[in-house]
Amino acid sequence: MASHRRPKQPNRTRVTVLTTAAAAAVALSTHAANAAPSHKPDKDEVKAKVDKLYEEAEQATEKYNGAKEKQQRLQKEISAIQDGVARGQQELNKLRDGLGSLAGAQYRSGGIDPSVQLFLSSDPDDFLDKASTLDQLSGRQIAALKKVQGKQRELAQERAEATGKLRDLATTRTELGDRKQEVQGKLTEAQELLNTLTLKEKSALAAEQQRASRSSAERVRLGNGSSASGRAAAAFSFAQSQLGKPYFRGATGPSSYDCSGLTSWAYAQAGVHIPRTSEEQANIGTRLTRSQLQVGDLVFFFDDLHHVGLYAGNGQILHAPRTGTVVRYESMDTIGGPFMFGVRV
């Protein structure tokens, strides 16, 4: 006999969950069907991104160079102060030995005078205050004590200065590490992008750079501009002798260079010392507009002045561009950032 029991109604909550899940599945499948395949950047897009990363790496490199220069300067200053403190301590010890001899002589002649007992106090300032009431000090004793007093103050100041510079050095070393890590991160990211290119695309990019470099070199040859001065001409000539040498962050030659490393090296060979970093180099000499530039003048690019080269004439510069390149000629209009000003040293 057939059962007449009513079929069990599905649970309302369960129906809602199943309906929602089904709708989501349909939506996902529809999205997957309509989604465009992932875009692989072409060589021009990769080049633009890599150039931007190299620019950021060069910014960090110049800050790294500045921190490194500061570290070296602080280390020299601290060493000089510490040497001075050591010599001053020796002088102070001799002065104190002289006071001890005076006390010994008085003791052997019948006891130490109260004034001399104060004289040997560890606090000369306190002694002078008290000694003024004794009226028993000779001019020689007062002069000797004042020397001790002055030397102690001098040493205290020098030790405080050294302590401050040591703190500054610790901060600078931390900054140095941070900048180095930042540079390496940018370069690693750029290399990963370059690795996405095919061999044919890499060859095409290299060929483009070589054509641009040859074109700039030809424009320099045809320009035949005059130099700003004898030392500017000499600096430019020395820089020309480094054409083809690789860029390397923090390098100052003679086997590799970064941008400010090349300019500082070239001028040093001409007998002119200029600061190490592009930012510091921008603050020397006479500033120039583009129309005033002559061969050998320093030329600065980007708002923060993180790139520098030597003017080569006819709108071209000689510089160490960035990682992956060599010292070469290049048009001022293809640097990647605006020309800010020139400097005549």
Side-chain angles (χ1 to χ4, degrees):
M1 184 176 179
S3 172
H4 295 287
R5 284 184 299 174
R6 176 180 291 182
K8 185 177 180 181
Q9 295 296 319
N11 181 279
R12 182 172 297 176
T13 301
R14 183 169 178 271
V15 170
T16 302
V17 170
L18 288 173
T19 303
T20 302
V26 171
L28 285 172
S29 62
T30 303
H31 176 75
N34 295 332
S38 59
H39 172 71
K40 179 184 181 300
D42 61 26
K43 71 176 179 65
D44 292 331
E45 290 173 318
V46 169
K47 181 180 183 302
K49 291 178 181 178
V50 167
D51 286 348
K52 181 62 177 174
L53 286 167
Y54 280 150
E55 177 194 333
E56 292 170 354
E58 190 179 29
Q59 282 179 302
T61 293
E62 284 301 293
K63 293 184 184 302
Y64 169 86
N65 290 339
K68 190 173 183 181
E69 285 287 295
K70 184 177 180 180
Q71 179 191 38
Q72 293 171 346
R73 185 181 70 250
L74 285 170
Q75 286 174 329
K76 289 180 181 178
E77 291 173 355
I78 290 168
S79 179
I81 292 172
Q82 289 174 336
D83 287 345
V85 168
R87 288 192 298 271
Q89 188 63 53
Q90 290 177 345
E91 294 175 19
L92 181 58
N93 292 341
K94 288 180 180 179
L95 290 172
R96 285 175 170 165
D97 287 344
L99 297 183
S101 298
L102 175 61
Q106 289 199 1
Y107 178 78
R108 287 190 297 273
S109 65
I112 300 179
D113 188 281
S115 65
V116 178
Q117 289 179 343
L118 288 174
F119 195 54
L120 297 175
S121 166
S122 60
D123 186 352
D125 290 331
D126 179 61
F127 168 72
L128 283 178
D129 290 339
K130 294 178 180 178
S132 63
T133 64
L134 295 175
D135 196 26
Q136 295 177 356
L137 291 180
S138 68
R140 180 183 175 188
Q141 289 172 329
I142 291 174
L145 183 60
K146 285 186 175 180
K147 282 185 179 180
V148 171
Q149 182 187 47
K151 182 57 65 176
Q152 285 181 327
R153 287 176 175 170
E154 180 184 328
L155 288 176
Q157 290 174 350
E158 289 179 348
R159 287 189 176 108
E161 183 181 0
T163 299
K165 289 185 181 295
L166 283 168
R167 284 196 297 266
D168 198 2
L169 180 60
T171 301
T172 301
R173 282 175 172 161
T174 299
E175 180 186 356
L176 199 59
D178 291 344
R179 296 302 181 189
K180 186 174 182 180
Q181 188 175 7
E182 181 182 358
V183 172
Q184 192 56 53
K186 299 293 184 185
L187 296 180
T188 298
E189 190 175 350
Q191 188 58 55
E192 288 173 352
L193 277 171
L194 289 172
N195 289 342
T196 66
L197 296 177
T198 65
L199 184 59
K200 183 178 179 180
E201 288 172 325
K202 291 177 182 177
S203 298
L205 282 178
E208 287 175 11
Q209 288 186 353
Q210 289 172 356
R211 283 194 298 272
S213 183
R214 285 196 298 269
S215 175
S216 290
E218 181 65 14
R219 288 178 64 84
V220 169
R221 187 182 69 80
L222 294 174
N224 194 30
S226 62
S227 296
S229 67
R231 58 188 185 181
F236 184 73
S237 178
F238 281 114
Q240 283 182 305
S241 72
Q242 304 305 294
L243 282 165
K245 291 191 175 180
Y247 177 101
F248 190 80
R249 65 184 186 279
T252 57
S255 58
S256 59
Y257 301 89
D258 63 18
C259 69
S260 56
L262 175 66
T263 52
S264 59
W265 178 87
Y267 266 94
Q269 306 314 300
V272 182
H273 173 75
I274 63 175
R276 169 65 179 89
T277 68
S278 59
E279 185 177 358
E280 291 176 314
Q281 290 175 15
N283 291 320
I284 63 173
T286 304
R287 290 199 175 186
L288 311 166
T289 64
R290 182 164 178 163
S291 64
Q292 294 173 314
L293 292 174
Q294 292 184 335
V295 174
D297 287 334
L298 298 173
V299 281
F300 298 87
F301 298 84
F302 298 95
D303 293 340
D304 62 355
L305 310 175
H306 72 258
H307 189 70
V308 61
L310 293 166
Y311 187 63
N314 206 13
Q316 311 300 304
I317 69 168
L318 174 57
H319 68 150
R322 60 176 184 272
T323 299
T325 64
V326 298
V327 175
R328 69 188 188 193
Y329 296 111
E330 188 169 351
S331 168
M332 292 176 66
D333 300 321
T334 62
I335 298 303
F339 167 73
M340 303 308 295
F341 53 82
V343 164
R344 184 160 297 154
V345 179

